[in-house]
């Protein structure tokens, strides 16, 4: 009877370990999926800001040339002030988003390394 109890205890232990591993793995997958979704959203926001900045940079170039032609470049700072004020918060926001992207990518990379997904090919 003692041998049967031993097998029963080992089977329960193995079952418990499998359940814990499965639970941890599913939690890691959910967390990774959320991080990847957030990462995609952040990159989309950055692309949107880049588009807005490109428009603003074109506006600066247009205003610069117009001012150069009409006023020989005088009062350039005053002419560009509204555009500069418009792009300043965009640049700061982009910097913040890029810092978030770096942090999430680092976190994902570290979790991949710890979970055995280091990217090294398996030997066959």
């Amino acid at each position: 009877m003692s041998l049967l109890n031993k097998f029963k205890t080992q089977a329960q232990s193995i079952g418990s370990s499998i359940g814990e591993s499965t639970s941890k793995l599913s939690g890691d997958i959910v967390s990774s999926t959320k991080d990847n979704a957030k990462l995609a959203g952040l990159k989309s926001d950055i692309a949107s800001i880049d588009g807005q900045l490109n428009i603003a940079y074109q506006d600066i170039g247009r205003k610069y040339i117009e001012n150069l032609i009409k006023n020989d470049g005088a009062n350039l700072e005053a002419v560009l002030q509204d555009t500069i004020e418009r792009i300043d918060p965009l640049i700061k926001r982009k910097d913040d988003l890029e810092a978030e992207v770096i942090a999430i990518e680092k976190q994902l990379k570290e979790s991949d390394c710890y979970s055995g997904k280091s990217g090294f090919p398996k030997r066959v």
Side-chain angles (χ1 to χ4, degrees):
M1 193 70 150
S2 156
L3 187 59
L4 289 176
N5 285 338
K6 201 176 209 182
F7 285 135
K8 182 180 174 184
T9 303
Q10 286 180 345
Q12 288 173 341
S13 175
I14 290 171
S16 175
S17 293
I18 290 172
E20 289 173 5
S21 295
T22 303
S23 176
K24 183 180 182 323
L25 179 62
S26 64
D28 289 347
I29 290 171
V30 168
S31 177
S32 177
T33 302
K34 287 180 182 177
D35 287 342
N36 281 322
K38 184 173 182 179
L39 191 60
L42 291 171
K43 287 183 177 183
S44 175
D45 290 347
I46 290 170
S48 173
I49 290 172
D50 282 338
Q52 294 174 51
L53 288 172
N54 284 335
I55 291 169
Y57 295 146
Q58 289 173 356
D59 190 40
I60 288 172
R62 183 183 50 77
K63 287 180 179 180
Y64 174 79
I65 296 298
E66 287 174 356
N67 185 54
L68 193 60
I69 292 170
K70 292 179 183 177
N71 301 325
D72 291 329
N75 299 324
L76 181 61
E77 197 170 309
V79 170
L80 299 177
Q81 188 64 35
D82 63 325
T83 307
I84 291 171
E85 288 174 357
R86 190 176 71 213
I87 66 171
D88 188 47
L90 290 173
I91 292 171
K92 289 177 183 174
R93 177 73 177 136
K94 182 181 175 187
D95 289 344
D96 293 344
L97 292 173
E98 287 174 338
E100 275 188 75
V101 165
I102 290 169
I104 290 173
E105 286 177 339
K106 181 179 178 185
Q107 180 182 351
L108 286 171
K109 186 175 181 180
E110 287 174 354
S111 69
D112 283 350
C113 288
Y114 290 127
S115 66
K117 300 181 210 169
S118 62
F120 294 110
K122 294 182 180 179
R123 290 190 173 185
V124 180

PDB file of all heavy atoms in Angstrom, residues 4 13 15 17 22-23 33 35 44-45 52 64 70 74 84-85 89-93 96 101 111 114 122:
ATOM      1  N   LEU A   4       1.752   2.397  -3.486  1.00  0.00           N
ATOM      2  CA  LEU A   4       0.655   3.074  -4.167  1.00  0.00           C
ATOM      3  C   LEU A   4       0.513   4.514  -3.679  1.00  0.00           C
ATOM      4  O   LEU A   4       0.254   5.423  -4.470  1.00  0.00           O
ATOM      5  CB  LEU A   4      -0.661   2.317  -3.958  1.00  0.00           C
ATOM      6  CG  LEU A   4      -0.783   0.982  -4.705  1.00  0.00           C
ATOM      7  CD1 LEU A   4      -2.089   0.298  -4.332  1.00  0.00           C
ATOM      8  CD2 LEU A   4      -0.714   1.194  -6.192  1.00  0.00           C
ATOM      9  N   SER A  13       1.833  15.626  -7.370  1.00  0.00           N
ATOM     10  CA  SER A  13       2.887  16.636  -7.452  1.00  0.00           C
ATOM     11  C   SER A  13       3.136  17.041  -8.902  1.00  0.00           C
ATOM     12  O   SER A  13       3.257  18.225  -9.212  1.00  0.00           O
ATOM     13  CB  SER A  13       4.165  16.094  -6.829  1.00  0.00           C
ATOM     14  OG  SER A  13       5.225  16.995  -7.006  1.00  0.00           O
ATOM     15  N   GLY A  15       1.017  16.721 -11.412  1.00  0.00           N
ATOM     16  CA  GLY A  15      -0.184  17.434 -11.870  1.00  0.00           C
ATOM     17  C   GLY A  15      -0.199  18.864 -11.387  1.00  0.00           C
ATOM     18  O   GLY A  15      -0.546  19.788 -12.130  1.00  0.00           O
ATOM     19  N   SER A  17       2.442  20.687 -10.573  1.00  0.00           N
ATOM     20  CA  SER A  17       3.500  21.419 -11.278  1.00  0.00           C
ATOM     21  C   SER A  17       3.065  21.802 -12.681  1.00  0.00           C
ATOM     22  O   SER A  17       3.320  22.925 -13.144  1.00  0.00           O
ATOM     23  CB  SER A  17       4.767  20.573 -11.363  1.00  0.00           C
ATOM     24  OG  SER A  17       5.312  20.376 -10.085  1.00  0.00           O
ATOM     25  N   THR A  22       1.384  25.876 -16.510  1.00  0.00           N
ATOM     26  CA  THR A  22       0.401  26.313 -17.505  1.00  0.00           C
ATOM     27  C   THR A  22      -0.179  27.658 -17.133  1.00  0.00           C
ATOM     28  O   THR A  22      -0.328  28.546 -17.977  1.00  0.00           O
ATOM     29  CB  THR A  22      -0.728  25.265 -17.638  1.00  0.00           C
ATOM     30  OG1 THR A  22      -0.146  24.010 -17.980  1.00  0.00           O
ATOM     31  CG2 THR A  22      -1.726  25.666 -18.698  1.00  0.00           C
ATOM     32  N   SER A  23      -0.481  27.831 -15.853  1.00  0.00           N
ATOM     33  CA  SER A  23      -1.034  29.101 -15.388  1.00  0.00           C
ATOM     34  C   SER A  23      -0.043  30.237 -15.587  1.00  0.00           C
ATOM     35  O   SER A  23      -0.401  31.314 -16.066  1.00  0.00           O
ATOM     36  CB  SER A  23      -1.417  28.981 -13.914  1.00  0.00           C
ATOM     37  OG  SER A  23      -1.858  30.211 -13.415  1.00  0.00           O
ATOM     38  N   THR A  33       1.063  39.921 -24.779  1.00  0.00           N
ATOM     39  CA  THR A  33       0.114  40.410 -25.785  1.00  0.00           C
ATOM     40  C   THR A  33      -0.301  41.840 -25.479  1.00  0.00           C
ATOM     41  O   THR A  33      -0.372  42.686 -26.378  1.00  0.00           O
ATOM     42  CB  THR A  33      -1.122  39.491 -25.838  1.00  0.00           C
ATOM     43  OG1 THR A  33      -0.690  38.164 -26.150  1.00  0.00           O
ATOM     44  CG2 THR A  33      -2.117  39.948 -26.874  1.00  0.00           C
ATOM     45  N   ASP A  35       1.425  44.043 -23.775  1.00  0.00           N
ATOM     46  CA  ASP A  35       2.585  44.901 -24.024  1.00  0.00           C
ATOM     47  C   ASP A  35       2.773  45.153 -25.519  1.00  0.00           C
ATOM     48  O   ASP A  35       3.074  46.274 -25.939  1.00  0.00           O
ATOM     49  CB  ASP A  35       3.857  44.293 -23.428  1.00  0.00           C
ATOM     50  CG  ASP A  35       3.904  44.376 -21.915  1.00  0.00           C
ATOM     51  OD1 ASP A  35       3.139  45.185 -21.335  1.00  0.00           O
ATOM     52  OD2 ASP A  35       4.700  43.643 -21.299  1.00  0.00           O
ATOM     53  N   SER A  44       2.169  53.906 -33.339  1.00  0.00           N
ATOM     54  CA  SER A  44       1.191  54.597 -34.183  1.00  0.00           C
ATOM     55  C   SER A  44       1.090  56.075 -33.799  1.00  0.00           C
ATOM     56  O   SER A  44       1.032  56.951 -34.667  1.00  0.00           O
ATOM     57  CB  SER A  44      -0.178  53.919 -34.047  1.00  0.00           C
ATOM     58  OG  SER A  44      -1.156  54.624 -34.758  1.00  0.00           O
ATOM     59  N   ASP A  45       1.082  56.338 -32.489  1.00  0.00           N
ATOM     60  CA  ASP A  45       1.052  57.728 -32.017  1.00  0.00           C
ATOM     61  C   ASP A  45       2.297  58.490 -32.472  1.00  0.00           C
ATOM     62  O   ASP A  45       2.214  59.655 -32.876  1.00  0.00           O
ATOM     63  CB  ASP A  45       0.944  57.775 -30.489  1.00  0.00           C
ATOM     64  CG  ASP A  45      -0.411  57.329 -29.974  1.00  0.00           C
ATOM     65  OD1 ASP A  45      -1.361  57.221 -30.781  1.00  0.00           O
ATOM     66  OD2 ASP A  45      -0.516  57.081 -28.754  1.00  0.00           O
ATOM     67  N   GLN A  52       2.580  65.231 -38.222  1.00  0.00           N
ATOM     68  CA  GLN A  52       2.292  66.611 -37.825  1.00  0.00           C
ATOM     69  C   GLN A  52       3.555  67.464 -37.847  1.00  0.00           C
ATOM     70  O   GLN A  52       3.528  68.637 -38.259  1.00  0.00           O
ATOM     71  CB  GLN A  52       1.660  66.640 -36.436  1.00  0.00           C
ATOM     72  CG  GLN A  52       0.284  66.000 -36.369  1.00  0.00           C
ATOM     73  CD  GLN A  52      -0.222  65.923 -34.936  1.00  0.00           C
ATOM     74  OE1 GLN A  52      -0.207  66.926 -34.237  1.00  0.00           O
ATOM     75  NE2 GLN A  52      -0.651  64.754 -34.521  1.00  0.00           N
ATOM     76  N   TYR A  64       9.778  80.856 -43.941  1.00  0.00           N
ATOM     77  CA  TYR A  64      11.143  81.376 -44.034  1.00  0.00           C
ATOM     78  C   TYR A  64      11.386  81.982 -45.422  1.00  0.00           C
ATOM     79  O   TYR A  64      11.890  83.109 -45.534  1.00  0.00           O
ATOM     80  CB  TYR A  64      12.145  80.256 -43.751  1.00  0.00           C
ATOM     81  CG  TYR A  64      13.575  80.683 -43.970  1.00  0.00           C
ATOM     82  CD1 TYR A  64      14.245  81.440 -43.009  1.00  0.00           C
ATOM     83  CD2 TYR A  64      14.253  80.360 -45.144  1.00  0.00           C
ATOM     84  CE1 TYR A  64      15.553  81.851 -43.214  1.00  0.00           C
ATOM     85  CE2 TYR A  64      15.553  80.764 -45.355  1.00  0.00           C
ATOM     86  CZ  TYR A  64      16.203  81.510 -44.390  1.00  0.00           C
ATOM     87  OH  TYR A  64      17.485  81.915 -44.599  1.00  0.00           O
ATOM     88  N   LYS A  70       9.943  88.772 -48.924  1.00  0.00           N
ATOM     89  CA  LYS A  70       9.175  89.997 -48.625  1.00  0.00           C
ATOM     90  C   LYS A  70       9.918  90.960 -47.711  1.00  0.00           C
ATOM     91  O   LYS A  70       9.817  92.176 -47.876  1.00  0.00           O
ATOM     92  CB  LYS A  70       7.839  89.641 -47.976  1.00  0.00           C
ATOM     93  CG  LYS A  70       6.880  88.940 -48.902  1.00  0.00           C
ATOM     94  CD  LYS A  70       5.597  88.594 -48.184  1.00  0.00           C
ATOM     95  CE  LYS A  70       4.666  87.816 -49.095  1.00  0.00           C
ATOM     96  NZ  LYS A  70       3.448  87.400 -48.393  1.00  0.00           N
ATOM     97  N   ALA A  74      14.006  89.814 -42.183  1.00  0.00           N
ATOM     98  CA  ALA A  74      13.821  90.553 -40.932  1.00  0.00           C
ATOM     99  C   ALA A  74      12.653  89.960 -40.150  1.00  0.00           C
ATOM    100  O   ALA A  74      11.690  89.453 -40.714  1.00  0.00           O
ATOM    101  CB  ALA A  74      13.557  92.020 -41.234  1.00  0.00           C
ATOM    102  N   ILE A  84       6.582  77.414 -34.139  1.00  0.00           N
ATOM    103  CA  ILE A  84       7.491  76.865 -33.129  1.00  0.00           C
ATOM    104  C   ILE A  84       6.726  76.506 -31.856  1.00  0.00           C
ATOM    105  O   ILE A  84       6.961  75.457 -31.265  1.00  0.00           O
ATOM    106  CB  ILE A  84       8.646  77.856 -32.852  1.00  0.00           C
ATOM    107  CG1 ILE A  84       9.556  77.941 -34.084  1.00  0.00           C
ATOM    108  CG2 ILE A  84       9.441  77.442 -31.616  1.00  0.00           C
ATOM    109  CD1 ILE A  84      10.593  79.035 -34.031  1.00  0.00           C
ATOM    110  N   GLU A  85       5.794  77.357 -31.472  1.00  0.00           N
ATOM    111  CA  GLU A  85       4.977  77.063 -30.294  1.00  0.00           C
ATOM    112  C   GLU A  85       4.099  75.828 -30.519  1.00  0.00           C
ATOM    113  O   GLU A  85       3.810  75.091 -29.586  1.00  0.00           O
ATOM    114  CB  GLU A  85       4.102  78.264 -29.935  1.00  0.00           C
ATOM    115  CG  GLU A  85       4.882  79.412 -29.345  1.00  0.00           C
ATOM    116  CD  GLU A  85       4.047  80.660 -29.120  1.00  0.00           C
ATOM    117  OE1 GLU A  85       2.850  80.671 -29.465  1.00  0.00           O
ATOM    118  OE2 GLU A  85       4.618  81.644 -28.613  1.00  0.00           O
ATOM    119  N   PRO A  89       5.369  71.245 -28.040  1.00  0.00           N
ATOM    120  CA  PRO A  89       4.743  70.157 -27.276  1.00  0.00           C
ATOM    121  C   PRO A  89       4.731  68.830 -28.043  1.00  0.00           C
ATOM    122  O   PRO A  89       4.785  67.762 -27.430  1.00  0.00           O
ATOM    123  CB  PRO A  89       3.325  70.641 -27.008  1.00  0.00           C
ATOM    124  CG  PRO A  89       3.104  71.849 -27.823  1.00  0.00           C
ATOM    125  CD  PRO A  89       4.433  72.335 -28.290  1.00  0.00           C
ATOM    126  N   LEU A  90       4.697  68.907 -29.373  1.00  0.00           N
ATOM    127  CA  LEU A  90       4.731  67.670 -30.162  1.00  0.00           C
ATOM    128  C   LEU A  90       6.067  66.955 -29.996  1.00  0.00           C
ATOM    129  O   LEU A  90       6.113  65.731 -29.848  1.00  0.00           O
ATOM    130  CB  LEU A  90       4.486  67.981 -31.649  1.00  0.00           C
ATOM    131  CG  LEU A  90       3.087  68.424 -32.039  1.00  0.00           C
ATOM    132  CD1 LEU A  90       3.053  68.853 -33.508  1.00  0.00           C
ATOM    133  CD2 LEU A  90       2.077  67.324 -31.786  1.00  0.00           C
ATOM    134  N   ILE A  91       7.135  67.725 -30.012  1.00  0.00           N
ATOM    135  CA  ILE A  91       8.465  67.136 -29.847  1.00  0.00           C
ATOM    136  C   ILE A  91       8.605  66.526 -28.455  1.00  0.00           C
ATOM    137  O   ILE A  91       9.125  65.416 -28.298  1.00  0.00           O
ATOM    138  CB  ILE A  91       9.566  68.182 -30.124  1.00  0.00           C
ATOM    139  CG1 ILE A  91       9.567  68.549 -31.608  1.00  0.00           C
ATOM    140  CG2 ILE A  91      10.936  67.676 -29.689  1.00  0.00           C
ATOM    141  CD1 ILE A  91      10.457  69.712 -31.971  1.00  0.00           C
ATOM    142  N   LYS A  92       8.127  67.241 -27.444  1.00  0.00           N
ATOM    143  CA  LYS A  92       8.197  66.706 -26.075  1.00  0.00           C
ATOM    144  C   LYS A  92       7.372  65.426 -25.942  1.00  0.00           C
ATOM    145  O   LYS A  92       7.805  64.448 -25.326  1.00  0.00           O
ATOM    146  CB  LYS A  92       7.726  67.756 -25.080  1.00  0.00           C
ATOM    147  CG  LYS A  92       8.703  68.896 -24.914  1.00  0.00           C
ATOM    148  CD  LYS A  92       8.192  69.959 -23.980  1.00  0.00           C
ATOM    149  CE  LYS A  92       9.186  71.118 -23.912  1.00  0.00           C
ATOM    150  NZ  LYS A  92       8.683  72.242 -23.142  1.00  0.00           N
ATOM    151  N   ARG A  93       6.173  65.428 -26.526  1.00  0.00           N
ATOM    152  CA  ARG A  93       5.306  64.245 -26.476  1.00  0.00           C
ATOM    153  C   ARG A  93       5.959  63.068 -27.195  1.00  0.00           C
ATOM    154  O   ARG A  93       5.929  61.931 -26.727  1.00  0.00           O
ATOM    155  CB  ARG A  93       3.935  64.567 -27.088  1.00  0.00           C
ATOM    156  CG  ARG A  93       3.000  63.403 -27.161  1.00  0.00           C
ATOM    157  CD  ARG A  93       2.460  63.044 -25.781  1.00  0.00           C
ATOM    158  NE  ARG A  93       1.512  61.950 -25.918  1.00  0.00           N
ATOM    159  CZ  ARG A  93       1.467  60.905 -25.122  1.00  0.00           C
ATOM    160  NH1 ARG A  93       2.268  60.836 -24.090  1.00  0.00           N
ATOM    161  NH2 ARG A  93       0.603  59.947 -25.326  1.00  0.00           N
ATOM    162  N   ASP A  96       8.626  61.553 -25.033  1.00  0.00           N
ATOM    163  CA  ASP A  96       8.022  60.734 -23.971  1.00  0.00           C
ATOM    164  C   ASP A  96       7.557  59.383 -24.508  1.00  0.00           C
ATOM    165  O   ASP A  96       7.779  58.341 -23.879  1.00  0.00           O
ATOM    166  CB  ASP A  96       6.832  61.471 -23.323  1.00  0.00           C
ATOM    167  CG  ASP A  96       7.253  62.703 -22.538  1.00  0.00           C
ATOM    168  OD1 ASP A  96       8.457  62.840 -22.215  1.00  0.00           O
ATOM    169  OD2 ASP A  96       6.369  63.542 -22.249  1.00  0.00           O
ATOM    170  N   VAL A 101       8.340  53.438 -25.459  1.00  0.00           N
ATOM    171  CA  VAL A 101       8.595  52.347 -26.396  1.00  0.00           C
ATOM    172  C   VAL A 101       9.864  51.599 -26.005  1.00  0.00           C
ATOM    173  O   VAL A 101       9.894  50.370 -25.965  1.00  0.00           O
ATOM    174  CB  VAL A 101       8.692  52.872 -27.851  1.00  0.00           C
ATOM    175  CG1 VAL A 101       9.299  51.834 -28.781  1.00  0.00           C
ATOM    176  CG2 VAL A 101       7.325  53.284 -28.359  1.00  0.00           C
ATOM    177  N   SER A 111      11.828  39.567 -20.816  1.00  0.00           N
ATOM    178  CA  SER A 111      10.912  38.458 -20.545  1.00  0.00           C
ATOM    179  C   SER A 111      11.133  37.332 -21.553  1.00  0.00           C
ATOM    180  O   SER A 111      11.005  36.167 -21.223  1.00  0.00           O
ATOM    181  CB  SER A 111       9.453  38.917 -20.559  1.00  0.00           C
ATOM    182  OG  SER A 111       9.044  39.267 -21.855  1.00  0.00           O
ATOM    183  N   TYR A 114      14.236  35.408 -20.314  1.00  0.00           N
ATOM    184  CA  TYR A 114      13.953  34.586 -19.150  1.00  0.00           C
ATOM    185  C   TYR A 114      13.055  33.396 -19.475  1.00  0.00           C
ATOM    186  O   TYR A 114      13.115  32.367 -18.843  1.00  0.00           O
ATOM    187  CB  TYR A 114      13.314  35.415 -18.030  1.00  0.00           C
ATOM    188  CG  TYR A 114      14.277  36.393 -17.402  1.00  0.00           C
ATOM    189  CD1 TYR A 114      13.958  37.731 -17.293  1.00  0.00           C
ATOM    190  CD2 TYR A 114      15.516  35.987 -16.956  1.00  0.00           C
ATOM    191  CE1 TYR A 114      14.841  38.638 -16.739  1.00  0.00           C
ATOM    192  CE2 TYR A 114      16.411  36.872 -16.409  1.00  0.00           C
ATOM    193  CZ  TYR A 114      16.070  38.206 -16.293  1.00  0.00           C
ATOM    194  OH  TYR A 114      16.948  39.083 -15.750  1.00  0.00           O
ATOM    195  N   LYS A 122      17.580  26.548 -32.320  1.00  0.00           N
ATOM    196  CA  LYS A 122      17.768  25.270 -31.620  1.00  0.00           C
ATOM    197  C   LYS A 122      18.613  24.346 -32.487  1.00  0.00           C
ATOM    198  O   LYS A 122      18.511  24.353 -33.697  1.00  0.00           O
ATOM    199  CB  LYS A 122      16.420  24.615 -31.340  1.00  0.00           C
ATOM    200  CG  LYS A 122      15.575  25.385 -30.366  1.00  0.00           C
ATOM    201  CD  LYS A 122      14.287  24.649 -30.112  1.00  0.00           C
ATOM    202  CE  LYS A 122      13.430  25.425 -29.143  1.00  0.00           C
ATOM    203  NZ  LYS A 122      12.163  24.762 -28.878  1.00  0.00           N
TER     204      LYS A 122
END
